[in-house]
Amino acid sequence: MIPVRLRDLGAALAAALLVLVAVLVGRHIQNAHHTLFVHWPPVFAEWDPHVGPGTPAAVAVAAAVVAYGPVAAVRLRWRPLLATALGTALAWTWSLALVDGWQRGVAGRLTTRNEYLRVVDRFHDIPAALRGFDDHILSGAPAPWPAHIAGHPPGATLTFVLLDRIGLAGGGWAGAWCITVGATACVAVLVAVRLLADEDLARRAAPFLVLAPAAVWVGASADGYFAAVAAWAVALLALAATGHRTRAAAFGSGLLFGLTCYLSYGLVLFALIGAGALVAAGDLLRPGGQGRSGGQGRSGGQGRSGAGARYRPWLGALPFLLVGLAVVPVVFTLAGFDWWEAYHLLVKRYYEGVGGTRPYGYWVWANLACTVLVVGLASAAGLNRAATALVRRHRVRPGPDRAAAAEARLAVLVLSAVLAVLLADLSGMSKAETERIWLPFAMWILPGCALLPHPRAWLTAQAVLALLLNHLLLTGW
């Protein structure tokens, strides 16, 4: 049998090879046929080696997290750890964005011809704009929406319209919103992992969530903001499913899940991650299961196996979840926006445009290479560990091995995100730009790195990848 550490290295090398092949094959296809519509396949980017004002800060943050992150994650009390993780994620994301400078890296990101700020003044009458939103989705329609507006439900555009209305107008504020809100996703994932797996695994995951290569695209794309909304929906679901502020958390989770579906059509697949959270919570609460921190955790939480034998908290909270889930769809429907009609029109526009030209046979696997660049080689090794943990847990008789049970619950959460990615990939509606589009899913693959030994070595690999991507390529969307 191959030792697990060699399998870790094998998984990382296979992921690196996938990226290399995607680059070489992609360059050949683009040079020969010009059908990929990206200049540095598989990533939507330009080759542009450069440094910028964010470079010293990015290098310093990376070095600090590699050197002190694993120790700080163990020693800090839980709430200070969350605050530190948020502050460091903000510093990492902002510094990477500023490698490209303020205008090119932040303020100008959401003002280009396909972006949301180009249509803010067309929403002076919001109810009328929502009623007529579907009429402008097709390319041949009168005054068609730019690509990103047509490609998303109007909740995405309304975010920036409302920012404009409260005085936070322009690309600078929009970019700052996406970076700042997007950085909170790491905190939401940590909260969920602590509740659904255990606190030790959440602590071990923290440096990897903070130093994620995904930050290259969180700053400053709207998909980083989408990732945070979806992440907090799952975190609140985890709270409800483990009996913490059950009704309020369930309602809040439903509300954010509903909003998530009106930010991006593809994020309907987040139901799979929500289902994974409930499966993990069910294991947590079943007879013989352990408490949220594997019995007596750092926070002093006691095991809930007795309560779990008699009662599933999330079942009692289900009506509140469903009511919250209905709020955003009902509001948009009453305002005149038809989600299903808009989606079908989008599919038609997608295949009439570059989406119909981009070859499925390349992107169906090259998209996965993009995902490797977002989550890093450490996540590939983490997936190997997650699969091993799940198989091991089901091969042996359930017993008092709390660590193995916690790792299996984490594996359920991580692999549910992988399943969502695979379904999005096979749908054919995500060909290229998935390094940005799949950010919400990527945040839930990263916690698998908590299962890896020698975290500093893997963190170094993550940091080097992110710095190279940001300094060698000019990413766009």
Side-chain angles (χ1 to χ4, degrees), residues 110 217 260 281:
L110 295 164
W217 292 275
T260 296

Side-chain angles (χ1 to χ4, degrees), residues 45-185:
E46 303 276 355
W47 178 259
D48 182 20
H50 63 286
V51 296
T55 297
V59 173
V61 171
V65 174
V66 170
Y68 303 109
V71 174
V74 171
R75 292 182 178 176
L76 288 173
R77 292 177 64 84
W78 179 249
R79 290 187 179 179
L81 172 61
L82 292 181
T84 302
L86 176 58
T88 310
L90 282 167
W92 177 237
T93 310
W94 271 104
S95 61
L96 288 175
L98 290 173
V99 167
D100 298 332
W102 169 255
Q103 181 61 36
R104 193 167 70 165
V106 179
R109 288 291 191 178
L110 295 164
T111 62
T112 58
R113 64 187 182 90
N114 287 321
E115 282 288 0
Y116 302 97
L117 296 189
R118 298 299 290 265
V119 300
V120 165
D121 53 359
R122 291 176 60 177
F123 279 74
H124 60 276
D125 184 341
I126 292 176
L130 292 178
R131 286 193 301 271
F133 190 88
D134 292 1
D135 298 334
H136 304 286
I137 292 177
L138 294 177
S139 298
W145 298 121
H148 287 185
I149 292 80
H152 295 80
T157 306
L158 275 182
T159 298
F160 302 103
V161 171
L162 294 176
L163 285 176
D164 182 85
R165 293 286 176 88
I166 64 174
L168 304 180
W173 285 112
W177 168 267
C178 293
I179 292 173
T180 304
V181 175
T184 70

Side-chain angles (χ1 to χ4, degrees), residues 285-342:
L285 295 169
R286 72 186 181 191
Q290 303 302 327
R292 63 182 174 136
S293 296
Q296 180 72 32
R298 296 178 185 271
S299 58
Q302 297 294 333
R304 295 177 175 270
S305 58
R310 300 187 302 272
Y311 179 60
R312 295 287 194 272
W314 63 269
L315 290 177
L318 185 58
F320 296 89
L321 176 69
L322 295 176
V323 170
L325 186 61
V327 170
V328 173
V330 166
V331 169
F332 274 93
T333 301
L334 292 177
F337 171 69
D338 188 328
W339 192 98
W340 283 106
E341 180 185 0

